[in-house]
Amino acid sequence: MRFFATAAKGTEPALRDELRELGFEGVRADRGGVHFEGEASEGMRACLWSRIAIRVLSPLSAFPAPDERAYYEAVHAVDLDPVLTPKHTLVVSSACRSSRITHTEYLNQLTKDAVVDRIRERQGSRPSVDKQNPDVHLFVHLVKDEATLYLDLAGEPLHRRGYRAHSAEAPLKESLAAAVVRYSGWDRESPFADPMCGSGTLAIEAALWAKNVAPGLSRSRFGFERWASFDDAARSKMSELRGEARAAVRDVIPPLLGRDASERALKLARTAARNAAVDVTFEVGPLSDFEHPEAGAVVSNPPYGKRLERALDLPRDLARLVDRHPASHVALLMSADQPLGRTRRKPDPPREVFNGNIECVVRVWAPKGR
């Protein structure tokens, strides 16, 4: 089988490296995600283990869509009986560009109609749509009148780990945080610090990675576990995969520190770390005097000045942070236009990424003598 793991723009190389490290076959980065291959159980394993993927998709059909009728007929011809019955619910989402069908809402409706019409014709009744908690999620990618219809294995997006409070301001998605930690060059053995930790996502993702906790272990079930085709054999395989993941968790991890000037943010961070069952020390304090000589990596996501206010002296303090840690990997996720003071260290070439719709860069300074 072929799979496509989606990722935030700019994190595709991190996801590629992660999937290769996890032993997946046929791994190839592409725009918007990474292709890989394997048995059906490999798609299940990717949902369980990937920290950077947002969804894991399996292609059902690819076809030309020169007009609405041709598109409807092509989707109508797809056999979804193995996964979808009248007793199940579904939802359709899509992305389209440079095509005759231009509106995603209309594309979703057209896809849904073709799918449920076929099932009603064959089985006498049709499944219902549930946009909040569907059993089956279909995704359509339509570019230049060429369409691909996918099954989404994950169900709820994989970045939603479940440990974070919804009240956090300007939250950083867990999957992007995991990619930034990987881009930083941290070795998972040395101390880790985030001097502007906010609600703690970077430090918690670093802790989960160091502890080798499969991020999907916190889920009661994935989307594929709700399909009609999820039989006893698949259930047994998933139970085996979860058992292997639980056995792989490490007992000892390096010290991890999160600091922030906001006690309110730290309260959220402590709650999130407790929910994630990881040991992270959080302390209140300003960026201006932060120094951690033992840190193997200092990683942070300073305010961009868009959703959270940015202090006037932040560029100077960030430059001093870089220079105070010559023996550490220092990585900063910053908006593309965010100023930085003058430093004595030369950074690696910046990596362009997107935090939601905000164009950003990950700036990394490797230790001297690397």
Side-chain angles (χ1 to χ4, degrees):
M1 293 181 64
R2 294 181 296 118
F3 301 96
F4 185 68
T6 69
K9 186 177 179 181
T11 66
E12 298 95 340
L15 177 56
R16 176 200 61 205
D17 294 348
E18 176 190 60
L19 294 181
R20 286 176 177 170
E21 187 178 281
L22 289 168
F24 289 94
E25 300 291 333
V27 175
R28 176 174 59 86
D30 202 347
R31 178 176 177 172
V34 176
H35 301 272
F36 66 100
E37 301 171 357
E39 301 294 327
S41 60
E42 287 295 85
M44 294 157 57
R45 188 166 71 92
C47 287
L48 182 63
W49 275 100
S50 180
R51 304 176 193 283
I52 300 168
I54 297 172
R55 297 188 180 277
V56 176
L57 306 176
S58 176
L60 292 168
S61 180
F63 48 87
D67 54 45
E68 297 170 14
R69 187 65 195 173
Y71 179 85
Y72 175 93
E73 291 178 351
V75 175
H76 187 272
V78 177
D79 183 12
L80 281 165
D81 289 358
V83 296
L84 182 63
T85 74
K87 295 180 180 180
H88 289 78
T89 59
L90 82 153
V91 73
V92 180
S93 58
S94 60
C96 65
R97 59 183 171 86
S98 307
S99 299
R100 294 189 185 184
I101 301 174
T102 57
H103 298 290
T104 56
E105 284 300 320
Y106 179 68
L107 184 59
N108 296 345
Q109 182 70 31
L110 190 61
T111 306
K112 184 270 296 181
D113 288 346
V115 169
V116 302
D117 287 352
R118 175 188 169 100
I119 292 177
R120 180 168 46 205
E121 291 163 10
R122 293 164 63 89
Q123 302 188 43
S125 58
R126 47 156 285 180
S128 299
V129 171
D130 185 342
K131 295 184 178 181
Q132 301 302 317
N133 188 29
D135 297 315
V136 176
H137 183 187
L138 300 175
F139 179 77
V140 180
H141 188 243
L142 177 62
V143 178
K144 296 181 179 178
D145 295 326
E146 293 290 331
T148 305
L149 179 65
Y150 293 93
L151 260 176
D152 177 5
L153 279 71
E156 186 179 25
L158 295 173
H159 71 82
R160 296 177 185 168
R161 314 278 203 245
Y163 60 74
R164 190 169 63 184
H166 295 294
S167 58
E169 291 183 323
L172 177 66
K173 282 185 178 179
E174 296 90 327
S175 51
L176 178 55
V180 172
V181 173
R182 178 175 279 272
Y183 279 152
S184 75
W186 184 50
D187 60 6
R188 287 176 277 175
E189 302 292 339
S190 56
F192 177 98
D194 179 355
M196 302 183 75
C197 70
S199 57
T201 307
L202 280 165
I204 293 170
E205 286 298 314
L208 289 169
W209 193 28
K211 199 172 179 180
N212 203 36
V213 176
L217 271 179
S218 61
R219 295 200 173 202
S220 58
R221 61 178 178 173
F222 293 96
F224 58 80
E225 294 179 272
R226 301 169 67 169
W227 297 351
S229 59
F230 194 72
D231 56 15
D232 288 343
R235 195 169 293 107
S236 176
K237 182 60 180 179
M238 194 59 201
S239 178
E240 177 187 333
L241 290 173
R242 284 193 171 101
E244 292 171 351
R246 283 191 288 268
V249 175
R250 298 169 183 157
D251 294 328
V252 179
I253 63 173
L256 294 105
L257 172 67
R259 175 191 261 209
D260 201 90
S262 168
E263 188 60 61
R264 178 179 177 276
L266 291 175
K267 182 178 180 181
L268 294 173
R270 293 185 183 102
T271 299
R274 188 162 52 249
N275 292 341
V278 292
D279 186 12
V280 180
T281 300
F282 292 103
E283 65 179 30
V284 66
L287 173 67
S288 57
D289 66 358
F290 180 82
E291 190 167 3
H292 193 329
E294 296 81 24
V298 177
V299 184
S300 203
N301 176 213
Y304 306 151
K306 294 177 171 61
R307 290 180 293 184
L308 291 180
E309 185 178 352
R310 185 170 65 200
L312 293 177
D313 55 1
L314 181 60
R316 179 203 65 192
D317 289 341
L318 290 174
R320 289 178 177 176
L321 176 74
V322 173
D323 288 338
R324 283 175 180 158
H325 298 87
S328 306
H329 294 270
V330 178
L332 300 175
L333 173 61
M334 310 172 68
S335 63
D337 60 354
Q338 190 166 357
L340 178 70
R342 190 178 187 87
T343 72
R344 297 189 297 272
R345 298 174 63 182
K346 183 179 179 181
D348 293 343
R351 294 181 179 270
E352 297 179 357
V353 299
F354 273 76
N355 183 1
N357 62 356
I358 301 175
E359 187 176 353
C360 296
V361 290
V362 181
R363 303 189 188 278
V364 177
W365 291 261
K368 287 186 177 180
R370 180 186 64 171

